[in-house]
Amino acid sequence: VQEHYTATDEVCMPPTHSGAGHTNSVNVAMLMGMEIISTRHVFLEDVLAGDVSYFLDRLSPEDICGRLQAIHRDRDEARRRAGKARERLLEKFTSQAAFANLTEHYRALTRET
């Protein structure tokens, strides 16, 4: 995936299946600081919420085209969003961050502080 992603700036992840989730391809795109276009399906909205990606209002060629045009019209904003996606991945979704979060939950459950 990384090899293919180095040849482009954007990645479009428009899943619609109810079983689709947050794929490793999204993680790789975030890590590489790419602009991400996605549906709000399953928990992709939670991972990509705020201003770190571009969401599709509906899955259509016109909506995908509109998001690509938005990226093209304001490259500075697109690069800012991509950078924020990378920051979010490193802050919240690394093994170290997940372990710290899990530790805090266990401490709360066992009333340790």
Side-chain angles (χ1 to χ4, degrees):
V1 170
Q2 284 177 310
E3 183 179 323
H4 291 287
Y5 281 1
T6 58
T8 188
D9 296 326
E10 298 90 20
V11 62
C12 187
M13 295 294 284
T16 58
H17 185 270
S18 62
H22 172 197
T23 69
N24 280 333
S25 297
V26 171
N27 292 344
V28 173
M30 291 173 79
L31 181 64
M32 294 181 71
M34 298 179 72
E35 293 98 17
I36 301 169
I37 302 169
S38 177
T39 59
R40 298 177 188 275
H41 212 64
V42 190
F43 60 92
L44 280 171
E45 184 170 17
D46 294 333
V47 173
L48 299 171
D51 61 349
V52 303
S53 67
Y54 295 84
F55 284 112
L56 298 169
D57 295 323
R58 60 191 197 301
L59 187 54
S60 69
E62 295 80 16
D63 207 15
I64 293 170
C65 182
R67 296 302 174 266
L68 289 170
Q69 287 173 336
I71 290 169
H72 178 71
R73 277 192 304 270
D74 193 345
R75 294 298 301 159
D76 289 339
E77 172 64 11
R79 296 309 305 151
R80 187 192 66 74
R81 287 182 186 220
K84 290 198 54 115
R86 179 179 165 78
E87 288 172 18
R88 178 174 292 167
L89 177 85
L90 294 174
E91 178 184 313
K92 295 185 175 194
F93 302 118
T94 62
S95 297
Q96 184 178 11
F99 186 75
N101 191 24
L102 182 62
T103 300
E104 287 304 312
H105 284 291
Y106 273 115
R107 285 187 177 146
L109 289 170
T110 60
R111 300 193 190 283
E112 292 180 27
T113 56

